[in-house]
Amino acid sequence: MKTPLVAVTMGDGAGVGPEVVVRALADPEVRSLCRPVVVGDLRRLRDAARITGVEVEARAIDGPEDAAFEPGTIDVVDLGLLPADLPYGELSAVAGDAAYQYVKVASELAVAGRVQAICTAPLNKEALHAGGHPYPGHTELLAELCGVDEVSMMLSTPTVKVIHVTTHIGLVDAIERIDDALVERTIRRGDATLRDAGLARPRLGVCGINPHAGENGLFGRGEEAEKIVPAVERCRADGLDVHGPLPADTAFFLAGRGDYDLIVAMYHDQGHGPVKVLGLEAGVNISVGLPVIRTSVDHGTAFDIAGTGRADAGSMIEALRQAAALAPSP
């Protein structure tokens, strides 16, 4: 059976996206697991190959059906949106708009069934906004492009996996938005994703909101009892192996030693901080709830090293591995 077709977006052309894409697609293991098609800028990818010293030739194609997947080549749906003199490491509205267009085309390919998954290189949120697209990030952008009301962000590393109830909003707003229905939907999305990946009965740990998960009402205003406990109880009644609310400062330790397959974090930094300490280099961002598989690197555009050839492609390689593993058969 043929391996899945994966649309790989180039990300912000002023960042490390082109470099990690070129390095990852030159990896023999990646090429054995999937058939990647880059949506991006041909000229920028050729420059990235020069900078990194990777011996590959980028070739333009009209669509996935035209890709040859020959050794030593990268097939590119070339949108040609970046100027030749675009500097590396500098915020650019042009690059921000281009990054949006890459994602838009990739989502159209996926929804049309022309690819089985999307794997995204990093974009810069400030550049995205400057380019006229005021989205908090990839997750919300893809949700709108795919016509989905609610998507969860999952971060995955070899050490720990975490799914977020809320992501790119302020902490006060996050606490206000969290309710038992949203927590329940997030738990169920996480459980279903791990089951689809082959775990028969995933073990989930759910973080509290307050220190020590409220310490039986000593801290906070009863948020755990109101917003989390009912969701956990309903999921357990349906047979899910879910536990909580747990103190967030110990939940990730327990997951790291193998007690839980997935941690449910209530807000952005509660989940992102531990994951980035425990496994940033191999971290992968997975959008859960889209009609298509989407994975991404778990790092930013790294403007400070963009254009130097020093960018590590480990997270992009792992993102492509997981895209291939989760994607449906072609």
Side-chain angles (χ1 to χ4, degrees), residues 135-205:
Y135 296 91
H138 267 121
T139 303
E140 297 81 3
L141 167 57
L142 280 160
E144 180 168 309
L145 290 171
C146 294
V148 175
D149 292 331
E150 188 174 278
V151 178
S152 296
M153 177 189 293
M154 180 184 291
L155 300 182
S156 176
T157 77
T159 307
V160 66
K161 293 178 175 62
V162 57
I163 189 169
H164 296 72
V165 175
T166 65
T167 50
H168 295 119
I169 56 175
L171 182 56
V172 172
D173 295 330
I175 294 171
E176 178 68 24
R177 180 174 296 182
I178 296 167
D179 62 24
D180 62 305
L182 178 57
V183 173
E184 181 181 353
R185 293 194 299 273
T186 306
I187 292 170
R188 291 185 185 277
R189 274 194 288 267
D191 179 79
T193 300
L194 295 191
R195 288 177 189 270
D196 289 344
L199 281 178
R201 193 164 186 260
R203 297 163 298 170
L204 281 69

Side-chain angles (χ1 to χ4, degrees), residues 16-322:
V16 297
E19 296 167 63
V20 298
V21 166
V22 166
R23 285 191 189 279
L25 297 193
D27 186 282
E29 182 189 1
V30 167
R31 302 302 289 257
S32 71
L33 295 174
C34 64
R35 292 174 291 157
V37 173
V38 181
V39 182
D41 189 286
L42 183 72
R43 182 165 49 197
R44 200 64 164 183
L45 288 162
R46 286 176 173 170
D47 194 50
R50 176 190 61 81
I51 289 168
T52 58
V54 176
E55 295 184 2
V56 294
E57 174 58 32
R59 59 184 294 269
I61 58 173
D62 292 328
E65 299 81 7
D66 303 318
F69 308 109
E70 296 172 345
T73 67
I74 297 175
D75 296 292
V76 185
V77 177
D78 178 27
L79 302 192
L81 299 174
L82 300 180
D85 60 351
L86 179 76
Y88 287 97
E90 295 182 15
L91 189 75
S92 165
V94 172
D97 175 60
Y100 167 85
Q101 302 300 336
Y102 305 151
V103 176
K104 182 174 183 292
V105 170
S107 67
E108 291 168 350
L109 292 173
V111 171
R114 298 170 68 188
V115 298
Q116 285 76 54
I118 299 171
C119 184
T120 58
L123 53 72
N124 182 281
K125 295 178 180 64
E126 189 175 352
L128 183 71
H129 291 196
H133 310 288
Y135 296 91
H138 267 121
T139 303
E140 297 81 3
L141 167 57
L142 280 160
E144 180 168 309
L145 290 171
C146 294
V148 175
D149 292 331
E150 188 174 278
V151 178
S152 296
M153 177 189 293
M154 180 184 291
L155 300 182
S156 176
T157 77
T159 307
V160 66
K161 293 178 175 62
V162 57
I163 189 169
H164 296 72
V165 175
T166 65
T167 50
H168 295 119
I169 56 175
L171 182 56
V172 172
D173 295 330
I175 294 171
E176 178 68 24
R177 180 174 296 182
I178 296 167
D179 62 24
D180 62 305
L182 178 57
V183 173
E184 181 181 353
R185 293 194 299 273
T186 306
I187 292 170
R188 291 185 185 277
R189 274 194 288 267
D191 179 79
T193 300
L194 295 191
R195 288 177 189 270
D196 289 344
L199 281 178
R201 193 164 186 260
R203 297 163 298 170
L204 281 69
V206 182
C207 290
I209 294 173
N210 295 296
H212 300 184
E215 195 76 67
N216 296 316
L218 290 178
F219 305 127
R221 301 179 180 179
E223 288 87 356
E224 281 74 19
E226 175 189 350
K227 298 171 180 283
I228 300 175
V229 170
V232 170
E233 289 179 346
R234 288 196 294 269
C235 290
R236 288 178 66 86
D238 284 344
L240 277 66
D241 189 359
V242 56
H243 305 267
L246 305 171
D249 58 356
T250 58
F252 288 91
F253 166 76
L254 297 175
R257 75 179 187 186
D259 291 13
Y260 298 109
D261 300 302
L262 179 68
I263 293 295
V264 180
M266 292 297 117
Y267 52 88
H268 184 281
D269 285 11
Q270 188 182 65
H272 274 61
V275 166
K276 290 191 174 184
V277 170
L278 291 170
L280 175 61
E281 294 82 2
V284 175
N285 182 325
I286 304 170
S287 296
V288 178
L290 292 172
V292 296
I293 294 299
R294 178 261 173 169
T295 65
S296 180
V297 296
D298 184 29
H299 61 73
T301 48
F303 280 167
D304 56 326
I305 62 169
T308 67
R310 291 160 47 202
D312 188 293
S315 184
M316 176 58 81
I317 290 171
E318 186 60 28
L320 284 160
R321 285 196 194 110
Q322 295 210 28

